[in-house]
Amino acid sequence: MLGMECWCWNNISDYYPEVEPQKFSLPLPLPNWPQGKGFATGRICLGEIEVVQITKFKKIWGCSPSFGKSNCVSFYKPDEIPKGYYILGHYCQPDGEKHLTGYVLAAKDLTVNQKDTVRDSTSKLPALQKPLNYTLIWSSDSEYNGSGYIWMPNAPVGYKSMGFLASVEPNEPDPDEVRCVRADLTQNCEACEMMFSSDSLFPKNQFQVWKTRPCKRGMLCKGVSVGAFFCSTTSFSSGDELDIACLKNLNSSLHAMPNLEQIHALIKHYGPTVYLHPDETYLPSSVAWFFMNGALLYKDGKNNGTAINSKGSNLPAGGTNDGEYWLDLPNKDDANRTNVKCGNIESAELYVHVKPALGETFTDIAMWIFCPFNGPATVKVGLLSFTLNKVGEHVGDWEHYTLRVSNFSGELWSVYFSEHSGGEWVDACNLEFIEGNKSIVYASRNGHASFPHPGCYVQGSSKLGVGLRNDCARSKYYVDSSSKYQIVAAEYLGEGVVAEPPWLQYMREWGPTIIYDGRSEVEKIIKHLPFFMRFSVESFIELFPTELYGEAGPTGPKEKDNWLGDERW
């Protein structure tokens, strides 16, 4: 067809000159973890079913290389399924990546013996069941040697489909190839990341492929991600609820979570090194150092602050952030004020919160770092940069990153980099490793947001080339979290196993509320811009987060929504 770029799909029998992606392996083999219950044993019991994590795949079909690898996806069949387990769906991943980065779960029905008789008399139906048949959701256009088909299993009454199948044959897949799950053992799931869309190419033959995740996520949630993909010929958006499901962990024993000894082993094996920028003025410190060097507790209506003891045991504990209390640096007439503002990296340590994730199939190790002061922001406009005078400054800066570890194997799966009001998950294969299986976290200059690689990250409008600079680089300022850490919370271990420090119960603000005269600083920047780059003050201000121009003091880790909930992604 003259003037149209060809879009076709090829099956596994076609000739591919490039090497297909393989499963990523960490730089070093995994150690023998300390003894425990069910952590890193390869299998997790969810109640009536047991699941294993499959990370080996065989390619079924995918985009032709002539279309462009960065815009396409390939579909894979899980490989090496243990005897007695059944897959719940196939796997899909965007092309152009060197490694296969995902997984799918295979399930085993624990309520049925080898003769297919129900052992548990309280279960009316088996936990797993074959689909009745399949519905063809999409097929590649026969004009392009139609070689790919996507099928949705049609679940029996009382069951849910968990994922889709891909094939190179027009005939329905064998019903025995996949299993559906009894509805009461499932939860709703949602679309979370679109991997492929044909909208811009063939609007009349719309086709979208999405990653999925449980609708409800967090420390107390039981939804388990199956790892399969979702596809549709109608338009979907991130967060939309789907007509397939995820699993639900009904096992309350928490047997797959690591014990305290295993947690320490994980941190010592994976703990990243946090690098501050060479030009960083406002370094981290320990919380105890901050208190012992003159930090003050203020109460609304009183002019004088109160000294805080090293453990923070005289801080008001519990309740909510009602604005009645806040912390601040030493008084302005105190010679130690500047010293405290600049931190003390020798005392700095990471404060660790360990919690279940995705229905206890993963462990999240959230590592919090404290800086007494957050420096002013730097604005980037095209090739020009302007460091603001006061805008962006605040007392008491809490930042974090999170290691997500598979409870099937103890393997580091990904790291969440918290970046101001948002963040991103980065797969282990895209991390920068410094020693063995320990990666690097770069803290941005002045703002201390975390990033996976050095460079300049701009928060704002990429289209206009305007935003806040986040500059990251290695320097002599660093904190090794594999050795300088303190576990401050791991609620699932039970009461008394981890003693939470008193300061963690302080739910109010770690700095005073500050209102900046941001408009005058913006006007100064605009006046220095070339005429063709000038903005109105209002349109310029809209490019940046509202908290840049004035904000309440930040709250501590336990007041953040990701303490109980999932990270923002």
Side-chain angles (χ1 to χ4, degrees):
M1 300 193 310
L2 190 62
M4 177 172 283
E5 188 171 18
C6 179
W7 182 50
C8 59
W9 301 83
N10 292 321
N11 62 39
I12 191 60
S13 63
D14 292 340
Y15 173 70
Y16 276 86
E18 74 271 18
V19 177
E20 291 298 331
Q22 300 296 316
K23 181 185 181 297
F24 169 74
S25 295
L26 291 164
L28 291 182
L30 297 184
N32 293 321
W33 304 111
Q35 290 293 313
K37 293 182 180 179
F39 176 73
T41 59
R43 305 178 181 191
I44 296 178
C45 175
L46 304 181
E48 293 186 38
I49 63 175
E50 184 178 79
V51 291
V52 294
Q53 191 178 54
I54 307 298
T55 58
K56 294 184 179 180
F57 303 97
K58 288 183 177 179
K59 184 173 178 178
I60 302 171
W61 54 274
C63 284
S64 165
S66 63
F67 179 69
K69 297 288 285 184
S70 62
N71 298 314
C72 296
V73 291
S74 291
F75 298 87
Y76 299 85
K77 181 177 181 178
D79 194 22
E80 299 183 14
I81 312 299
K83 184 177 180 180
Y85 291 81
Y86 297 90
I87 65 171
L88 306 174
H90 283 174
Y91 176 70
C92 179
Q93 179 172 300
D95 289 346
E97 299 184 13
K98 294 182 180 179
H99 302 283
L100 291 168
T101 58
Y103 66 92
V104 294
L105 298 185
K108 178 181 182 179
D109 189 342
L110 297 179
T111 68
V112 178
N113 63 21
Q114 294 179 350
K115 296 181 180 180
D116 291 330
T117 59
V118 178
R119 273 204 307 259
D120 185 355
S121 61
T122 64
S123 299
K124 297 180 181 179
L125 297 169
L128 305 178
Q129 191 64 273
K130 299 177 184 179
L132 300 173
N133 48 34
Y134 296 86
T135 297
L136 179 63
I137 300 299
W138 188 88
S139 65
S140 58
D141 196 325
S142 60
E143 184 177 352
Y144 301 107
N145 301 317
S147 57
Y149 304 84
I150 299 292
W151 306 88
M152 179 174 178
N154 292 320
V157 175
Y159 289 81
K160 291 279 189 178
S161 298
M162 313 301 289
F164 293 72
L165 299 188
S167 75
V168 295
E169 301 293 339
N171 301 324
E172 288 189 19
D174 187 338
D176 199 44
E177 186 173 346
V178 70
R179 288 295 185 268
C180 302
V181 181
R182 206 173 70 228
D184 62 309
L185 306 179
T186 70
Q187 282 191 354
N188 296 336
C189 68
E190 65 183 25
C192 66
E193 181 183 332
M194 186 166 63
M195 293 185 283
F196 178 82
S197 175
S198 66
D199 292 2
S200 61
L201 301 168
F202 300 97
K204 294 182 180 179
N205 188 18
Q206 188 179 59
F207 178 54
Q208 292 183 344
V209 185
W210 290 83
K211 292 183 179 180
T212 65
R213 63 185 181 187
C215 292
K216 296 181 179 179
R217 302 175 305 281
M219 185 171 75
L220 305 177
C221 298
K222 299 299 183 180
V224 175
S225 178
V226 173
F229 66 91
F230 171 82
C231 66
S232 174
T233 54
T234 59
S235 181
F236 269 80
S237 299
S238 181
D240 286 353
E241 192 171 315
L242 308 178
D243 50 7
I244 59 173
C246 66
L247 294 173
K248 179 166 61 176
N249 189 350
L250 296 175
N251 186 348
S252 61
S253 70
L254 298 166
H255 75 292
M257 292 294 294
N259 60 30
L260 187 58
E261 186 182 5
Q262 290 169 332
I263 292 172
H264 283 293
L266 289 167
I267 295 172
K268 290 176 181 178
H269 187 75
Y270 292 126
T273 296
V274 182
Y275 275 102
L276 285 298
H277 193 273
D279 298 327
E280 182 62 71
T281 301
Y282 307 107
L283 297 170
S285 77
S286 68
V287 170
W289 183 92
F290 178 61
F291 292 162
M292 293 169 63
N293 281 271
L296 297 172
L297 169 68
Y298 284 86
K299 183 175 182 180
D300 190 30
K302 293 187 176 182
N303 295 326
N304 296 323
T306 302
I308 309 166
N309 64 44
S310 62
K311 296 182 179 180
S313 57
N314 61 328
L315 294 172
T320 59
N321 181 24
D322 52 14
E324 188 175 356
Y325 294 91
W326 64 90
L327 306 187
D328 204 349
L329 300 168
N331 292 322
K332 292 183 179 180
D333 57 356
D334 190 331
N336 199 36
R337 181 180 175 90
T338 299
N339 179 50
V340 174
K341 183 185 288 189
C342 293
N344 179 266
I345 198 165
E346 290 77 15
S347 71
E349 58 186 353
L350 278 297
Y351 299 103
V352 180
H353 178 210
V354 187
K355 56 182 179 175
L358 297 177
E360 300 152 25
T361 54
F362 287 86
T363 294
D364 276 3
I365 303 175
M367 310 191 85
W368 293 85
I369 192 165
F370 174 74
C371 295
F373 196 77
N374 189 97
T378 298
V379 173
K380 186 177 188 298
V381 184
L383 298 177
L384 303 175
S385 293
F386 304 88
T387 299
L388 302 177
N389 184 28
K390 291 288 186 181
V391 174
E393 291 185 345
H394 60 80
V395 175
D397 189 27
W398 279 103
E399 301 291 347
H400 80 285
Y401 55 88
T402 299
L403 312 182
R404 178 158 285 181
V405 175
S406 169
N407 287 348
F408 292 95
S409 62
E411 180 180 355
L412 176 66
W413 205 258
S414 56
V415 175
Y416 181 82
F417 293 83
S418 177
E419 301 160 5
H420 302 300
S421 57
E424 64 172 337
W425 284 104
V426 175
D427 293 329
C429 65
N430 294 318
L431 298 173
E432 181 180 340
F433 290 92
I434 185 173
E435 177 188 349
N437 294 338
K438 299 174 183 177
S439 59
I440 294 178
V441 172
Y442 291 91
S444 64
R445 179 175 175 264
N446 284 356
H448 313 121
S450 57
F451 294 91
H453 302 287
C456 176
Y457 298 82
V458 180
Q459 179 188 9
S461 172
S462 58
K463 182 178 181 180
L464 297 174
V466 179
L468 302 180
R469 287 183 66 116
N470 291 275
D471 293 291
C472 300
R474 287 203 201 189
S475 74
K476 64 181 180 180
Y477 307 121
Y478 65 88
V479 183
D480 180 0
S481 68
S482 69
S483 59
K484 299 195 71 174
Y485 70 91
Q486 179 186 157
I487 299 175
V488 297
E491 295 91 340
Y492 73 90
L493 291 176
E495 188 175 354
V497 177
V498 173
E500 297 187 5
W503 59 259
L504 189 61
Q505 318 309 321
Y506 173 70
M507 313 305 283
R508 274 80 170 191
E509 295 161 0
W510 285 69
T513 297
I514 302 175
I515 304 297
Y516 304 108
D517 184 12
R519 187 179 185 91
S520 63
E521 291 210 44
V522 167
E523 288 175 344
K524 292 177 183 178
I525 292 175
I526 293 175
K527 288 179 181 179
H528 284 86
L529 296 178
F531 181 78
F532 68 92
M533 295 181 66
R534 293 187 180 180
F535 299 77
S536 70
V537 174
E538 288 72 20
S539 62
F540 196 83
I541 288 176
E542 288 177 358
L543 296 173
F544 304 102
T546 55
E547 59 266 24
L548 186 67
Y549 302 103
E551 59 178 287
T555 53
K558 213 166 187 178
E559 266 289 283
K560 308 297 186 186
D561 54 9
N562 65 304
W563 185 267
L564 293 177
D566 195 12
E567 304 289 359
R568 299 177 184 176
W569 56 294

